[in-house]
């Protein structure tokens, strides 16, 4: 099991896209007895993800990492890289599983998002760590990389940044923007449209396939999106999903010694200082959460998706619709399965008068939108769905859906294998 630990409520930056800004409370005292917290979870936790705030400004960070090493717990760190090289030396003397520096692209973009001068310090830390890592034996090498949050400002920077850092042995971890905290406040500046986000990751996956030497890691929790990427780009992303990981493979600790089922749902928690041991405290403190989880752990909003039974959104989410990225991926997936070689033709006789069509055999006149008339004019002569899509600048799935509706109303005929349907 992994512990995600907001080790501090302090940070030396105030980034425009920070989703954890509400955590930062410089005047609130943190829990200091890190040994007690780690002892409390050591029987079942084998990896600890140190985040914050900025984890590397914690006054005991090296001691904490050393103590984690003594407990045989894997150490994972995400940092903004705004630290002295002497601290990096001390950290790299420890056993570190992975260390990622948050970098948002090229200098101007990064500094706009994270603050003036932060890019130079982050790049300097990245290069310094890469050099230290090269001197470690293969068994003890750190998984070193950058964490890149894709947004409207930096979406065009990623390829230039990869080229700039191609001599470093690093992983490029890319994730989508989380609209919370400062990111929500600055969403007009940062948020890409749903279609832009999918297009960005499609292009990035194609780049990765063409450049296999580049270590790309794309973080996405929805299997329907990965299925779409695999079909569209030829990638091999996992479509497995474990649903809610709270208490099954992950727990969360805040800076104040409270342990919760997960990072987003902290209503139920155990305070380490008041606790006895996990096995004794778990049943009493977490029973209400587990009961509520069992009651709510069902996908109520994704009825259209074939992964509905395995990809469970947060059981306590107030979301009433399928995530927009999933909706877009599902729509695009459906377009792959369209019968492009099937032909369509307007039922004769008919008469087109501007935006209206008169169907004498039906005794009706129908007025259409501009898009509808464009589609129907494209099939005055028998045309395949592919030809129609080439002529009409609309999404193929929307064109096909419209034609099926007109077919149901006996205004259009569908021809498969030269037989009218």
């Amino acid at each position: 099991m992994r512990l995600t630990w907001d080790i501090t409520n302090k940070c030396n930056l105030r980034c425009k896209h920070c989703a954890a800004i509400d955590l930062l409370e410089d005047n609130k005292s943190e829990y200091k007895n890190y040994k007690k917290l780690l002892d409390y979870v050591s029987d079942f936790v084998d990896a600890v993800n140190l985040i914050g705030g900025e984890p590397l400004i914690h006054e005991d960070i090296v001691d904490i990492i050393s103590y984690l090493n003594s407990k045989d717990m894997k150490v994972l760190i995400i940092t903004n890289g705004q630290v002295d090289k002497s601290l990096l030396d001390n950290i790299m003397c420890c056993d570190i599983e992975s260390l990622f520096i948050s970098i948002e692209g090229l200098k101007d973009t990064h500094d706009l998002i994270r603050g003036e001068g932060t890019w130079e310090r982050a790049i300097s830390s990245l290069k310094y760590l890469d050099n230290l890592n090269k001197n470690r034996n293969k068994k003890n090498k750190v998984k070193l990389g950058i964490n890149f949050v894709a947004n409207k400002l930096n979406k065009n920077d990623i390829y230039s940044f990869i080229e700039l850092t191609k001599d470093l042995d690093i992983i490029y971890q890319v994730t989508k923007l989380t609209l919370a905290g400062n990111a929500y406040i600055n969403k007009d500046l940062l948020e890409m449209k749903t279609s832009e986000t999918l297009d960005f990751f499609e292009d990035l996956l194609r780049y990765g396939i063409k450049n296999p030497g580049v270590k790309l890691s794309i973080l996405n929790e929805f299997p329907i999106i990965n299925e779409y990427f695999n079909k569209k780009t030829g990638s091999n992303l996992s479509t497995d999903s474990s649903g809610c990981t709270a208490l099954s493979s992950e727990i969360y600790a805040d800076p104040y010694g409270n342990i919760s089922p997960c990072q987003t749902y902290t209503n139920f928690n155990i305070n380490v200082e008041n606790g006895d041991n996990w096995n004794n405290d778990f049943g009493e403190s977490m029973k209400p959460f587990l009961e509520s989880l069992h009651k709510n752990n069902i996908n109520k909003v994704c009825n259209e998706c074939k992964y509905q039974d395995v990809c469970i959104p947060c059981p306590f989410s107030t979301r009433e619709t399928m995530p927009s990225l999933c909706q877009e991926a599902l729509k695009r997936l459906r377009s792959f399965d369209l019968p492009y070689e099937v032909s369509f033709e307007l039922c004769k006789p008919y008469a087109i008068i501007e935006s209206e069509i008169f169907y004498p055999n039906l005794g009706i006149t129908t007025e259409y939108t501009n898009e509808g008339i464009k589609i129907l004019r494209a099939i005055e002569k028998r045309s395949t769905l592919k030809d129609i899509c080439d002529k009409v600048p609309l999404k193929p799935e929307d064109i096909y859906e419209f034609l099926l509706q007109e077919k149901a109303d006996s205004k259009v005929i569908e021809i498969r294998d030269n037989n009218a349907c």
Side-chain angles (χ1 to χ4, degrees):
M1 182 178 285
R2 182 175 67 181
L3 168 67
T4 296
W5 184 10
D6 275 323
I7 194 173
T8 178
N9 59 11
K10 297 174 178 59
C11 188
N12 46 8
L13 300 180
R14 291 295 184 272
C15 303
K16 284 184 170 62
H17 66 340
C18 178
I21 194 69
D22 292 340
L23 176 77
L24 306 184
E25 299 184 51
D26 291 341
N27 297 323
K28 189 171 181 179
S29 297
E30 300 170 350
Y31 184 68
K32 299 295 184 183
N33 195 348
Y34 63 86
K35 289 185 178 180
K36 184 170 184 177
L37 187 148
L38 293 174
D39 289 345
Y40 189 80
V41 300
S42 62
D43 286 346
F44 58 93
V45 166
D46 57 8
V48 178
N49 187 17
L50 299 176
I51 57 174
E54 168 49 47
L56 296 193
I57 65 173
H58 193 289
E59 60 185 358
D60 297 319
I61 184 62
V62 176
D63 291 336
I64 290 172
I65 295 172
S66 296
Y67 195 68
L68 286 166
N69 287 169
S70 74
K71 293 284 187 179
D72 291 325
M73 296 181 184
K74 294 179 180 178
V75 180
L76 304 92
I77 302 172
I78 298 180
T79 174
N80 58 33
Q82 311 296 301
V83 293
D84 294 334
K85 289 180 172 58
S86 59
L87 177 59
L88 298 179
D89 284 330
N90 290 333
I91 289 174
M92 290 294 278
C93 287
C94 300
D95 187 5
I96 307 293
E97 177 73 12
S98 68
L99 198 162
F100 284 80
I101 296 180
S102 296
I103 299 182
E104 311 306 336
L106 301 178
K107 181 179 185 301
D108 289 347
T109 308
H110 178 96
D111 283 0
L112 177 61
I113 295 171
R114 290 188 169 266
E116 191 68 28
T118 59
W119 188 85
E120 291 287 357
R121 290 191 289 273
I123 286 293
S124 177
S125 293
L126 182 66
K127 291 180 178 179
Y128 189 73
L129 287 167
D130 180 66
N131 187 58
L132 291 177
N133 208 30
K134 286 175 180 175
N135 294 324
R136 294 167 74 112
N137 63 54
K138 187 174 182 180
K139 182 180 178 181
N140 294 323
K141 280 192 182 297
V142 176
K143 294 176 183 175
L144 182 64
I146 68 140
N147 191 66
F148 180 97
V149 181
N151 60 70
K152 192 189 298 184
L153 293 177
N154 68 5
K155 64 179 182 178
N156 295 321
D157 279 12
I158 184 65
Y159 305 107
S160 298
F161 182 82
I162 292 173
E163 182 64 24
L164 182 69
T165 55
K166 63 183 180 181
D167 293 332
L168 305 182
D169 185 14
I170 59 174
I171 301 166
Y172 300 90
Q173 180 173 278
V174 186
T175 184
K176 64 182 185 297
L177 183 72
T178 299
L179 277 184
N182 278 353
Y184 184 81
I185 294 171
N186 297 305
K187 65 179 181 178
D188 290 343
L189 179 69
L190 298 169
E191 186 182 21
M192 289 190 282
K193 294 178 181 178
T194 301
S195 57
E196 285 182 292
T197 302
L198 279 188
D199 291 345
F200 168 82
F201 284 106
E202 278 181 36
D203 292 341
L204 188 59
L205 283 165
R206 290 193 188 94
Y207 175 87
I209 291 169
K210 292 179 181 178
N211 299 273
V214 176
K215 300 177 184 177
L216 275 178
S217 174
I218 294 178
L219 301 186
N220 164 57
E221 67 271 34
F222 300 117
I224 191 68
I225 295 175
N226 283 351
E227 179 184 338
Y228 166 70
F229 287 149
N230 291 344
K231 287 188 176 181
K232 187 65 182 286
T233 69
S235 58
N236 191 30
L237 301 177
S238 173
T239 55
D240 294 334
S241 178
S242 57
C244 178
T245 60
L247 297 181
S248 60
S249 61
E250 188 168 1
I251 57 172
Y252 166 73
D254 68 15
Y256 315 112
N258 299 308
I259 297 179
S260 306
C262 67
Q263 192 172 0
T264 56
Y265 198 81
T266 57
N267 292 28
F268 301 108
N269 62 69
I270 299 170
N271 186 275
V272 173
E273 196 60 36
N274 301 325
D276 177 19
N277 66 68
W278 176 262
N279 290 330
N280 291 342
D281 299 334
F282 173 84
E284 181 179 349
S285 298
M286 296 299 167
K287 184 178 179 181
F289 171 79
L290 292 172
E291 290 175 345
S292 187
L293 180 68
H294 179 73
K295 179 180 178 180
N296 292 288
N297 196 25
I298 183 171
N299 194 330
K300 302 174 183 177
V301 299
C302 303
N303 296 327
E304 298 180 73
C305 182
K306 70 181 184 180
Y307 295 101
Q308 178 186 10
D309 294 332
V310 294
C311 177
I312 309 294
C314 174
F316 302 97
S317 171
T318 56
R319 183 191 299 277
E320 296 180 354
T321 60
M322 185 188 297
S324 59
L325 279 174
C326 293
Q327 291 183 41
E328 181 67 18
L330 187 58
K331 181 179 287 189
R332 294 187 183 190
L333 273 170
R334 286 171 175 164
S335 73
F336 295 159
D337 300 325
L338 295 180
Y340 285 102
E341 300 309 313
V342 168
S343 297
F344 291 90
E345 188 175 359
L346 269 171
C347 283
K348 299 175 182 178
Y350 64 85
I352 300 179
I353 307 168
E354 296 182 349
S355 63
E356 296 181 342
I357 299 182
F358 173 53
Y359 300 94
N361 289 347
L362 300 176
I364 60 172
T365 298
T366 303
E367 183 174 3
Y368 293 96
T369 63
N370 289 336
E371 291 81 5
I373 280 292
K374 287 179 181 178
I375 295 171
L376 295 175
R377 283 191 177 277
I379 61 170
E380 287 193 80
K381 292 184 179 180
R382 182 180 299 179
S383 299
T384 64
L385 178 60
K386 181 181 183 303
D387 291 337
I388 301 166
C389 292
D390 289 341
K391 295 175 184 176
V392 181
L394 296 173
K395 292 180 178 179
E397 60 268 26
D398 292 339
I399 294 174
Y400 186 57
E401 184 177 349
F402 172 80
L403 289 169
L404 290 183
Q405 181 59 54
E406 294 302 290
K407 175 190 170 186
D409 293 339
S410 301
K411 300 170 186 174
V412 165
I413 58 173
E414 179 182 343
I415 301 97
R416 293 177 184 257
D417 299 325
N418 297 319
N419 294 316
C421 298

